[in-house]
Amino acid sequence: MSVPSSLIALPPPENGDGQTWQSRDRQVQVLAWGSYSPAVLNLNTPHAAMVWLVSAEQQNGSRVTYRFVGSNRVVLSGFTRSGQVFYQLVRVRAGSESGVRIEYAPRLKAVWDARAAQIAATLTPPNAL
């Protein structure tokens, strides 16, 4: 996945299944992950993943304003409980999942809506086992 060079990589998690980047002012955060064994979703169809993801967002106090289900992906966007804009893409295949979530301040929406879509478009899912 390609992220803007202005974002700073944070230390990866111990299990090595993802990476987080953020802007110097902490107004933008990009999270990416992948798994051959989708422990978080454990769902093998995009529609099932979308239902689960929307429910999880709503339980966390987020407001989902856009959702899309494709043959191998789910896209959600909206606003977090704290008012941040979020854009999330999850690719689902039998045996693997990968995703990216971009959160940013509403005042950055005009610039980061397009950047979020560009970043997500560069996400390369792992090959299924």
Side-chain angles (χ1 to χ4, degrees), residues 51 53-64 67 81:
V51 169
L53 288 166
V54 169
S55 176
E57 289 294 340
Q58 291 170 339
Q59 288 177 6
N60 287 332
S62 295
R63 182 169 49 103
V64 176
R67 59 185 91 181
R81 177 188 311 182

Side-chain angles (χ1 to χ4, degrees), residues 11-89:
E14 287 186 25
N15 66 3
D17 71 353
Q19 181 68 53
T20 301
W21 296 263
Q22 71 180 15
S23 60
R24 292 191 191 281
D25 63 4
R26 299 183 182 174
Q27 296 296 300
V28 177
Q29 187 172 55
V30 176
L31 301 95
W33 66 93
S35 175
Y36 286 116
S37 174
V40 175
L41 294 178
N42 202 20
L43 303 167
N44 286 324
T45 70
H47 184 271
M50 187 271 302
V51 169
W52 189 90
L53 288 166
V54 169
S55 176
E57 289 294 340
Q58 291 170 339
Q59 288 177 6
N60 287 332
S62 295
R63 182 169 49 103
V64 176
T65 59
Y66 175 81
R67 59 185 91 181
F68 170 82
V69 177
S71 62
N72 68 348
R73 65 189 169 127
V74 175
V75 177
L76 299 177
S77 65
F79 299 90
T80 67
R81 177 188 311 182
S82 65
Q84 294 283 89
V85 177
F86 77 88
Y87 179 95
Q88 183 167 328
L89 165 69

Side-chain angles (χ1 to χ4, degrees), residues 87-103:
Y87 179 95
Q88 183 167 328
L89 165 69
V90 178
R91 296 186 186 275
V92 179
R93 285 196 239 175
S96 72
E97 75 180 47
S98 57
V100 59
R101 181 179 177 101
I102 300 118
E103 294 187 8

